[in-house]
């Protein structure tokens, strides 16, 4: 086994489900009379479902009953589930399979570290679940990103020291979580947003095989 561990976020890194979360949150916010901008959406990426709704309500200065809160969470997830119902391998982001296969061929431990409670279902739909040695998702943690719990749990499961782990993340909260966990953080997205990462690439297409090989040999 290689001694560097690789931890992947799911939404926005492996699959482009970030757009479905955006649509569902926007519809929910607008139905409450709350505007929902792209900038606000960035602040929800990587953030748990409960925390996301709390943030939206605070942006709109709304207070609602616990019952209403729970029913909105349920509705948001139902809409999201409708979007992802027919997902298949075609929704895997470009060059993710190339990088996963490089890591597998290099005998590197691979884990998923996602805030989503739907992560396992999505990995099954896109037929990638067998590539992962360990999965930690929103069902397994009590503290959401930017808390490092999801990544430290993933490192424990693949038996790799945190400072020997590399995290791929598309969210500000996730990059902060990776850094708090003492891991190398690679941002997938825009460098002006993910500036706290150690490296930022627009997508896996920009990450050379040479770069991955170097990470594996560190
Ligand atoms: P769910 P990630 C996160 O997944 C998403 O980025 C975030 O937008 C979402 O609210 C969160 O999962 C919870 O997802 O409602 O499916 O449990 O990026 O950490 O893979
Ligand atoms: Mg993400």
């Amino acid at each position: 086994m290689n001694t560097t561990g690789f931890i992947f976020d799911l939404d926005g890194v492996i699959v482009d489900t970030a757009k479905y979360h955006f649509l569902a949150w926007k519809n929910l916010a607008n139905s409450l009379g709350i505007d929902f901008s792209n900038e606000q959406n960035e602040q929800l990426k990587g953030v748990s479902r409960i925390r996301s709704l709390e943030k939206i309500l605070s942006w709109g200065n709304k207070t609602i009953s616990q019952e209403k809160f729970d029913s909105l969470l349920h509705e948001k997830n139902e809409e999201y589930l409708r979007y992802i119902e027919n997902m298949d391998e075609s929704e895997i982001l470009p060059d993710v399979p190339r990088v996963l296969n490089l890591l597998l061929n290099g005998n590197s431990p691979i884990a998923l570290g996602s805030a989503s409670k739907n992560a396992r279902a999505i990995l099954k739909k896109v037929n990638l679940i067998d590539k992962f040695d360990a999965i930690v998702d929103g069902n397994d943690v009590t503290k959401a990103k930017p808390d490092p719990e999801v990544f430290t749990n993933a490192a424990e499961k693949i038996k790799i020291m945190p400072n020997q782990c590399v995290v791929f993340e598309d969210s500000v909260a996730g990059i902060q979580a990776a850094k708090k966990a003492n891991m190398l953080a690679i941002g997938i997205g825009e460098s002006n947003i993910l500036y706290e990462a150690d490296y930022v690439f627009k997508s896996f297409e920009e990450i050379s095989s040479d770069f991955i090989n170097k990470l594996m040999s560190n």
Side-chain angles (χ1 to χ4, degrees):
M1 241 336 156
N2 199 299
T3 55
T4 306
F6 291 83
I7 306 175
F8 289 75
D9 173 52
L10 179 72
D11 295 318
V13 167
I14 293 178
V15 283
D16 191 13
T17 39
K19 66 186 178 207
Y20 300 138
H21 282 297
F22 171 72
L23 279 175
W25 283 130
K26 187 172 169 53
N27 287 339
L28 181 144
N30 293 165
S31 75
L32 296 169
I34 303 172
D35 287 336
F36 187 69
S37 65
N38 283 324
E39 289 69 33
Q40 285 166 322
N41 186 51
E42 282 304 324
Q43 295 179 48
L44 298 192
K45 284 187 181 174
V47 172
S48 70
R49 203 181 304 165
I50 289 177
R51 188 76 196 105
S52 298
L53 182 52
E54 285 170 353
K55 280 180 177 248
I56 290 172
L57 293 172
S58 79
W59 292 330
N61 269 323
K62 294 250 177 213
T63 316
I64 56 173
S65 67
Q66 186 62 44
E67 205 182 355
K68 176 78 177 161
F69 189 93
D70 292 343
S71 87
L72 286 174
L73 279 186
H74 180 73
E75 276 171 38
K76 187 271 172 180
N77 196 48
E78 289 294 305
E79 182 173 345
Y80 180 68
L81 290 176
R82 285 196 292 278
Y83 291 134
I84 64 167
E85 194 179 334
N86 298 316
M87 271 183 88
D88 60 21
E89 293 170 30
S90 67
E91 297 210 43
I92 299 172
L93 285 164
D95 272 14
V96 168
R98 173 179 63 86
V99 171
L100 283 173
N101 288 334
L102 269 176
L103 298 175
L104 283 167
N105 290 337
N107 259 328
S108 293
I110 307 175
L112 190 87
S114 167
S116 175
K117 294 187 171 179
N118 297 299
R120 283 178 172 83
I122 291 171
L123 280 183
K124 279 185 197 152
K125 278 180 195 292
V126 300
N127 213 9
L128 285 180
I129 197 146
D130 294 339
K131 308 262 186 200
F132 290 84
D133 299 300
I135 292 175
V136 180
D137 69 14
N139 300 295
D140 306 313
V141 293
T142 52
K143 289 172 256 161
K145 301 170 186 174
D147 188 281
E149 185 183 10
V150 64
F151 294 138
T152 48
N153 278 7
E156 262 171 44
K157 278 199 178 179
I158 53 174
K159 300 189 174 65
I160 301 287
M161 293 295 291
N163 64 2
Q164 287 292 109
C165 287
V166 176
V167 173
F168 296 103
E169 249 296 342
D170 71 316
S171 71
V172 174
I175 296 290
Q176 290 170 342
K179 293 315 298 171
K180 277 189 205 153
N182 203 15
M183 298 177 179
L184 187 87
I186 301 189
I188 304 293
E190 299 298 328
S191 52
N192 60 335
I193 295 173
L194 304 176
Y195 55 85
E196 290 169 80
D198 297 293
Y199 299 91
V200 181
F201 299 95
K202 282 205 164 64
S203 79
F204 282 96
E205 289 168 295
E206 279 193 359
I207 305 183
S208 69
S209 299
D210 196 38
F211 182 79
I212 297 292
N213 286 331
K214 281 195 186 121
L215 291 176
M216 281 196 285
S217 60
N218 271 342

